[in-house]
Every structure is written in structure tokens, then in C-alpha cells.
Amino acid sequence: MYLVDSMQRNQTAYVILGLLSIESNQSGYDIRKTIQGSVGYFWGESYGQIYPTLKRLAAEGLIVCRKSPAAARRQRQQYSITAAGHARLKDWLAIPYRDDPPRNEFLLKLFFGREAAPGISIRHIREFQDKLRRLLTTLQQMETIGRAKHSNNPHFPYWLLTHTFGVAQIRSALEWSESALAMLSAVEPATASNPQRRSVTGARSRRTRAN
Amino acid sequence: MYLVDSMQRNQTAYVILGLLSIESNQSGYDIRKTIQGSVGYFWGESYGQIYPTLKRLAAEGLIVCRKSPAAARRQRQQYSITAAGHARLKDWLAIPYRDDPPRNEFLLKLFFGREAAPGISIRHIREFQDKLRRLLTTLQQMETIGRAKHSNNPHFPYWLLTHTFGVAQIRSALEWSESALAMLSAVEPATASNPQRRSVTGARSRRTRAN
DNA sequence: ACACACATGTAATTGGTTACATGATTTC
DNA sequence: GAAATCATGTAACCAATTACATGTGTGT
């Protein structure tokens, strides 16, 4: 009852089942690395979530654990998905996805930007850009490697789907960020990171919030 | 100690402070509606989170509660932000935003699409499109109203910033979704919701999911 | 010898949703 | 008088992170 019940909305279980359906004989440690290297930019899991879930899935017979093969070096547990696990995954895939409640702290801070000291919002956007650019190069490297190594894998088209989504979103966010910076530097007074050129009326010394 | 400590990473507190800094004399009920109508597409809060947080903020002196004015109708509590609250908000705005851990169940289901019955991924994408289109019209209506009513509000430029971000992301997602559908209908066999035109072999009568 | 990556797990805490419980006021 | 909306709150539950605790194997 407890075990079966626990499967209702535990998304972690399904990432694990999904990854094991793509590649078997993975340890908890492997799974975490695989997550970071494949779905990492839109999904995260911590060990504190992975290990207990592995135990539970094994107890339910959805995965099986085989202690490290032949020369059992290290205390490595290797998991593989069972037929029941496959069926469970397939069922879950068929039901409509749930929108995970939206929470974007970057946008929230931007939204309240008027209350911040001048230059703050611009700094946030710059950081945002940096992160996006780094992520974009990572994704592009992954694509090159993926195309070379896995293009025969039947999962490849689906991987590519999520990949192109990510790239498109990042590109559009980067474009937006440029216009956002242009807009903000017109609105906010000059700061070190945002030197205003239009001297004339002494706009430089103006402060929009006295507090 | 308990009270002060609780402010470390409780984002709910800052949404509340932020909204009260824009408009005072709001009740918990108001705040929730305001959230949905302004930052709703990138931020959500439930009553179970709002009411206790209001109490805590009041106990810390960051907001004050005034029981409904004059003719005290209903049991309505009206909150306003204090100078201390303003300061706290400003401090929070100045520190770098935290990336909330990414979790996109839609993408996750797409990623494992190979394991799903044929047609499932296409259905998810269609649902995705519907949601995006509905959201887009909502945002566009909000923009028309916002421009008419609040364009003098000093917060307006910041609101517009997050708004244009949302619109840009949605547009790019919609574009992607078209190519995604095209790609998938080439990969997956025909289903009711995805009729293949190339008739010849009687593909029409094929059912991919018996269940 | 030391650092680093491999490897597994637990406990404490928290952030958050959902469901429940209650009642007033407005509108039809 | 019924239904919808306004309005406030609590309790149960759960999903998840973080920090802690421990130990092995590999490369330098």
C-alpha cells in the first residue's frame, strides 16, 4: 500500500525508469551523471532523491539490482529495468504532462526592478546572458558529439527534439536580453557598468529613488 | 532567531514584499489574485503559503496589518509594507538570483518518447501548443489593458520587460512545436490524431494502440 | 602521501501543495 | 434561497535539497 501509493506523482521514479530503459546496468551514481549530461538543462535530481527511489523501485519489482559483475570491485549496485518497469513507464508517458508550477526568480527580480538600486537589473540581465551563453556552447558541443556517436540510436530523434527546443529558447532569450539591456539603460541612471553618454543636462547625477 | 532565520530563502516573502511595494492595502486574497494577474505566468503561490508568510512578515515588522478601514466590513486584513520591508526587499533584489532547479515534465516525456506508444508524443505537443496559444492571447490582452491603464506607472517598464520575455519565449516555443510535429509525423506511424496522407497500403485502418 | 573521482547512503529541514474547515457578502 | 465570490486560516502530507557520514580505487 505504501509502496504502490508512492508512485502516484513521484517524478524522480520516472526519470530513473526512463534512463534505465535507454541504458541498463547503471548505478545511482551513473544515473545522476547521465541526468546531468542528457536532460540536465531541464531536469535535476539529487542523490538524496535517487538512492531511496532506487530502493523503492527495486522493492516494487520495476527495476532489478545486480551487484557489480564478475570481479565485484567497489560497492557498486547496477540496476536494470524490468518488464513491469517498462510497462509502468509506458503508462506514465501516456498520461498528459503536469505543468510544474512556474518559478523564475530572475524574472521576479526584474519585475520588481523599480525597487532595486540603479544598475541592479542590468547586472542580473548580464548574468543571465552569461549563463545562457555558457549553456548554449555546452548544448552545441553535446550536439556535435551526439550526432557523431548516437545518430543510429532509436532514441536519438527524441533527444534531438528536446535539444532543439532548448537551443531555440536560449536563442530567443538572448535576443530579448539585448533589447532589454537597451531599454533599461534608457530608463536607469548611469552606473559603473552602464555609463551614459548623453551628458548635456547633467542626467548623470540624477537619482530616481531617494528612499 | 526563528523569525529572522526564516527569511533566508523564502521566496514567497519577497513576492509579497514586492507586490506590497507596488500597491499597498492588500489582503492575502488580493495578493494571490494580483500574483495570478501580473507575474502569474512565471510565478505561483498558494494560500497555504501566503497566509502564514503574511503573519511572519508582520511579526518581523516588514509589513503592517490594518483591519479593514472605516466601515469594517468582512474580516478582511489589509497589509502594507514598512520602511524595514522596503529595505529588506531592496537587499534581496541586489543579490544574484538563484536558478530554481529546472523541471519540465513535458520535455521529459518527449525525451522518453521512444518508449511511449505511437502518437503519444504528438498528442503532448498538441496540448503544449494549445496551452501556449491560450497563454499568448491572455498576455496580449494584458498588454493592451496594461498599456492603456498603467503606462504612467513607474513600474510599467519593468513589467513590460518580463512581459516581452514571456511573449518571445512563447513565440519561439510555438515555432519549434511546428517543426517538432513535422519531424515526429515522419518518425512515428499513423494514428487517429496524426493521419498520414500517403494512403496506398491502407495505412488508414491501422491502429497503433489497442489497449 | 595526497587528491580526486567513484560510490552509497541517511537525517534534518524546508518549501510547498492540497484538502479541509468555516463563514460573510453579493448577485441572481 | 441558492450560487458565486470574497475571505481567512490550519493540518496532513510530500517532494526535494542539503549536509552529513563513510569508505574505495586511481592517478600523480
Side-chain angles (χ1 to χ4, degrees), chain A residues 27-29 33 51 55 74-77 103:
Chain A
S27 67
Y29 194 83
K33 286 219 305 182
Y51 284 112
K55 293 264 144 121
R74 297 188 176 181
Q75 63 277 54
R76 184 187 158 86
Q77 319 272 73
R103 290 220 142 183

Side-chain angles (χ1 to χ4, degrees), chain A:
Chain A
M1 171 240 187
Y2 207 10
L3 292 172
V4 176
D5 238 56
S6 66
M7 293 297 294
Q8 296 318 306
R9 46 183 77 221
N10 181 235
Q11 297 170 308
T12 304
Y14 295 105
V15 202
I16 292 176
L17 289 178
L19 289 182
L20 289 180
S21 82
I22 294 177
E23 194 178 340
S24 19
N25 291 319
Q26 292 200 82
S27 67
Y29 194 83
D30 293 335
I31 286 170
R32 184 156 197 242
K33 286 219 305 182
T34 310
I35 288 173
Q36 288 173 336
S38 56
V39 297
Y41 83 95
F42 64 79
W43 201 273
E45 289 294 347
S46 62
Y47 289 129
Q49 197 74 348
I50 290 171
Y51 284 112
T53 305
L54 282 171
K55 293 264 144 121
R56 238 178 38 223
L57 291 174
E60 285 188 72
L62 302 176
I63 62 177
V64 278
C65 174
R66 197 198 315 139
K67 271 165 195 121
S68 223
R73 317 136 87 228
R74 297 188 176 181
Q75 63 277 54
R76 184 187 158 86
Q77 319 272 73
Q78 290 190 134
Y79 293 93
S80 299
I81 194 167
T82 64
H86 252 117
R88 184 69 135 263
L89 174 63
K90 200 170 173 180
D91 287 349
W92 177 75
L93 287 171
I95 66 176
Y97 66 90
R98 290 165 42 101
D99 287 305
D100 359 52
R103 290 220 142 183
N104 189 323
E105 193 176 299
F106 166 65
L107 288 181
L108 194 65
K109 289 200 172 184
L110 256 203
F111 186 84
F112 297 132
R114 173 79 214 294
E115 301 296 317
I120 293 289
S121 297
I122 287 171
R123 227 167 59 203
H124 289 322
I125 294 178
R126 291 249 162 80
E127 204 193 317
F128 184 60
Q129 289 183 320
D130 288 348
K131 285 185 179 170
L132 290 176
R133 288 192 190 113
R134 263 176 278 140
L135 186 53
L136 187 57
T137 41
T138 308
L139 286 183
Q140 281 164 343
Q141 285 166 358
M142 282 171 57
E143 186 179 339
T144 318
I145 296 168
R147 282 192 189 280
K149 278 197 188 169
H150 307 296
S151 47
N152 299 322
N153 191 311
H155 295 282
F156 181 74
Y158 296 91
W159 173 81
L160 198 57
L161 227 44
T162 60
H163 177 87
T164 57
F165 180 82
V167 171
Q169 292 288 101
I170 293 169
R171 289 240 163 82
S172 125
L174 279 173
E175 272 171 49
W176 164 86
S177 71
E178 290 304 331
S179 65
L181 281 181
M183 205 269 248
L184 273 183
S185 46
V187 166
E188 296 200 345
T191 65
S193 61
N194 173 34
Q196 304 280 81
R197 249 164 252 79
R198 309 179 303 92
S199 48
V200 203
T201 51
R204 187 187 277 99
S205 60
R206 237 190 333 148
R207 290 266 157 205
T208 38
R209 265 200 97 217
N211 189 8

Side-chain angles (χ1 to χ4, degrees), chain B residues 27-30 33 48 51 55 74-77 103:
Chain B
S27 66
Y29 193 85
D30 291 337
K33 287 219 306 181
Y51 285 112
K55 294 262 144 118
R74 296 189 176 183
Q75 63 276 57
R76 183 187 158 87
Q77 319 272 76
R103 290 220 142 183

Side-chain angles (χ1 to χ4, degrees), chain B residues 87-182:
Chain B
R88 185 69 134 263
L89 174 63
K90 200 171 173 180
D91 288 348
W92 178 74
L93 287 171
I95 65 176
Y97 65 89
R98 290 165 42 100
D99 287 305
D100 359 53
R103 290 220 142 183
N104 188 324
E105 195 177 297
F106 166 66
L107 288 181
L108 194 65
K109 290 200 173 186
L110 255 203
F111 186 83
F112 296 133
R114 172 78 212 296
E115 302 295 317
I120 293 290
S121 298
I122 288 172
R123 229 167 57 202
H124 289 322
I125 294 178
R126 291 250 163 78
E127 204 193 317
F128 185 59
Q129 289 183 320
D130 288 348
K131 284 185 181 170
L132 290 176
R133 289 194 190 113
R134 262 176 278 141
L135 186 53
L136 187 57
T137 42
T138 308
L139 286 183
Q140 282 164 341
Q141 285 166 358
M142 281 171 56
E143 186 179 339
T144 317
I145 296 168
R147 282 192 189 280
K149 279 198 189 169
H150 308 295
S151 48
N152 299 322
N153 191 311
H155 295 282
F156 181 73
Y158 297 92
W159 172 81
L160 199 57
L161 228 43
T162 60
H163 178 87
T164 58
F165 179 83
V167 171
Q169 291 289 99
I170 292 170
R171 289 240 163 82
S172 126
L174 280 173
E175 273 172 47
W176 165 86
S177 71
E178 290 304 332
S179 65
L181 281 181

